[in-house]
Amino acid sequence: MSQAQLEAIVVEPKVPATACVIWLHGLGDSGAGFAPVVPALGLPTDHAIRFIFPHAPEQAVTINGGFVMRSWYDIKSMDLHDRADIDGVLASEARVKALIKAQMESGIASENIILAGFSQGGVMSLFTGLRLQNKLAGIMALSCYLPSGDKLPEQLSEVNKGTPILQHHGEQDDVVPMFAGKMAHDALLGAGYKSVWQTYPMPHSVLPNQLIDIGCWISQRLINH
């Protein structure tokens, strides 16, 4: 697969951007799925955060009968230890790293970039952020898991060892069971990462009050730091 720059929906702030949130969508969705959440985050009207909602490439997904859809990687089985096709994960990691690099080249320091994602996008934000050689402001992983189940990725970067990680999960999630997210959280804590775990009474989705909590967390990382 070529590593061409991902197409994305970009939501610019009213003032020149000095920070950035790159938010990766879930399986079968697109950047348009989360782009409308920006006003719901409750950020100050004069914030200087650019939001980027990239579209995953289209590919066949084994677990969905080979149906072609937007996907960061193929899902071959429901087994948590063998769910993510690692070659696909690595290909998408390269694309996400290219997005981060482009923001840095535009003048935004990596320390002012949050890498966020929901479901499959959250898997990618965790995997990429933990291995990234550039210091991030934060990593947000919503309703997701680690590609290798209860094990952290290989070739971890020490640079983001102290980077704040936010993990949210729905208590009625029937797509990614809550124990899968908790397994990832336990692995992160066990390795000394600063991860905060919070659950909500919801299925595989996001809630309005959760978005307010996310907005507060983003503000702490990119505005009030």
Side-chain angles (χ1 to χ4, degrees):
M1 266 190 239
S2 81
Q3 301 301 343
Q5 181 84 31
L6 290 167
E7 291 185 6
I9 293 172
V10 180
V11 181
E12 292 285 0
K14 291 174 181 166
V15 299
T18 57
C20 177
V21 174
I22 298 172
W23 196 316
L24 311 175
H25 63 77
L27 177 68
D29 198 1
S30 73
F34 276 100
V37 307
V38 178
L41 296 172
L43 298 171
T45 52
D46 61 348
H47 76 80
I49 305 168
R50 172 182 296 135
F51 283 83
I52 299 177
F53 300 93
H55 306 304
E58 294 189 337
Q59 56 186 308
V61 177
T62 304
I63 206 165
N64 288 344
F67 194 74
V68 174
M69 60 183 64
R70 291 199 182 276
S71 179
W72 297 108
Y73 51 84
D74 188 18
I75 298 178
K76 295 189 169 165
S77 80
M78 291 306 285
D79 176 2
L80 273 171
H81 299 279
D82 189 34
R83 184 179 283 204
D85 168 46
I86 198 65
D87 290 339
V89 170
L90 292 168
S92 280
E93 178 192 34
R95 293 185 178 94
V96 175
K97 283 166 73 175
L99 277 178
I100 294 168
K101 185 165 177 267
Q103 289 307 301
M104 291 168 62
E105 288 170 352
S106 80
I108 293 179
S110 68
E111 293 94 336
N112 289 330
I113 296 174
I114 285 175
L115 187 55
F118 174 79
S119 196
Q120 223 194 30
V123 174
M124 288 310 311
S125 72
L126 270 181
F127 185 85
T128 306
L130 294 175
R131 289 159 45 94
L132 194 68
Q133 296 296 329
N134 307 99
K135 173 77 173 159
L136 291 170
I139 299 167
M140 187 166 71
L142 308 176
S143 304
C144 67
Y145 51 95
L146 283 167
S148 43
D150 57 353
K151 295 186 184 65
L152 294 177
E154 295 177 2
Q155 298 173 312
L156 293 169
S157 163
E158 283 296 309
V159 178
N160 284 303
K161 194 70 190 274
T163 298
I165 300 171
L166 182 68
Q167 289 180 272
H168 283 180
H169 219 104
E171 290 151 15
Q172 291 103 41
D173 194 328
D174 59 353
V175 177
V176 178
M178 194 167 73
F179 75 79
K182 191 69 169 60
M183 200 187 289
H185 180 65
D186 291 344
L188 288 164
L189 289 188
Y193 284 89
K194 293 184 167 67
S195 180
V196 172
W197 170 261
Q198 193 166 353
T199 65
Y200 294 84
M202 63 181 182
H204 195 61
S205 60
V206 292
L207 291 178
N209 63 317
Q210 178 194 7
L211 290 172
I212 293 291
D213 293 343
I214 288 169
C216 290
W217 186 81
I218 290 172
S219 290
Q220 287 165 358
R221 309 279 89 78
L222 298 180
I223 299 174
N224 307 323
H225 60 100

